[in-house]
Amino acid sequence: MLIKIAKPSDVKPSEITPKSLYLDRRRFLKTAAVAGAGVVLGTIAAPAPAHAARGPKLEGVVKSKWNLETLGEKLTDYDAITKYNNFYEFGTDKDDPSRNSGAFKTRPWSIAVEGAVEKPGTYDLEDFIKPHALEERVYRLRCVEAWSMVVPWVGISLANVIKHFGPTGNAKYVAFETLLDPKQMPGQNRRVLKWPYKEGLRIDEAMNPLAILAVGLYGEAMPNQNGAPIRLVTPWKYGFKSIKSIVKMRFQADEPPTSWNEAAAREYGFYSNVNPTVDHPRWSQAKERRIGEFLKRPTLMFHGYAEEVAHLYAGMDLRKQY
Ligand SMILES: Nc1nc2c(c(=O)[nH]1)N[C@H]1C(S)=C(S)[C@@H](COP(=O)(O)O)O[C@H]1N2
Ligand SMILES: [Mo]
């Protein structure tokens, strides 16, 4: 075996410059993966800390017009956002994802872009993200279970991603898939849903400026339980549309099947818009409990984003197409 000894001139600036000076976004994403592994080792060696180690800070995040001031609400605590989760791949209880996803490997990660698109291919996560601005988007998220949160996501515009890949005229819908890996995702050994988790959007919904692919929250890399390394966020729809740990995006002419619709078609339709006037068959959707608050508050149409998205559904009967 040949051992290569680097001459001083071969050493990259990143290896000799203090971390804080060279960390660019690309570099950060790699650091995030390493730090993630460190966290796992740490929990084996030492008793679990009261507060889980937080992800590394994301560099180069820009503020967007969807910020705390324009939303006029309080952020939900980091602890609630990261310990009260739905991610059935790691179990169906709210604390299962944070307890069971610590060892989930999110690097290397690639995303397949398929179907009616000019630049299909399998892209490394870093390359997938790199062309786009990392923005902070403070959004309300409402689960179909009638609780809600306010989350400071960090993400890239889904419209920009789609334009980058160049959808063709046949791209009427975008289908998304989560990783299928029962060895890493213990919940996939149980048939609670038909795995892999699937979701979809109509192309004009996907192109709406509100839709993002999120890679972090609270300015830090996405915690595994929240859908690392990349997940969809569509704040005007119920939380279950916001598919986590995405490995595939497919552009197609037909409406794609979705996991929750396959599981219970009467309860979960393709559109899944937050609509207080359409009850879930087993409970009312008129109100919601903001995590951390005691009294329920009324749920707003499209979860308060009507101005930005109502035009997408003009002429549709949202009681039938729920
Ligand atoms: N792959 C996958 N994505 C998923 C889910 C899931 O079980 N698996 N749950 C959904 C549901 S029901 C909700 S409410 C949100 C919760 O996101 P959060 O845990 O980041 O709050 O993720 C959605 N995305
Ligand atoms: Mo949900």
Side-chain angles (χ1 to χ4, degrees), residues 86 143-145 147 239-240:
N86 276 332
C143 181
V144 76
E145 297 161 332
W147 49 264
F240 65 88

Side-chain angles (χ1 to χ4, degrees), residues 25-95:
R25 230 172 69 211
R26 190 181 175 84
R27 181 78 200 175
F28 153 73
L29 287 162
K30 295 205 171 117
T31 319
V34 174
V39 170
V40 177
L41 293 174
T43 48
I44 292 165
H51 295 276
R54 294 175 57 151
K57 195 169 159 25
L58 290 165
E59 300 292 318
V61 178
V62 298
K63 194 175 167 178
S64 74
K65 67 174 187 175
W66 294 276
N67 54 55
L68 208 52
E69 296 80 65
T70 53
L71 195 71
E73 299 210 42
K74 275 205 338 254
L75 292 179
T76 301
D77 286 347
Y78 180 90
D79 254 28
I81 295 172
T82 57
K83 291 200 174 112
Y84 191 88
N85 300 100
N86 276 332
F87 198 171
Y88 278 22
E89 285 85 341
F90 293 103
T92 51
D93 286 344
K94 294 287 178 279
D95 60 346

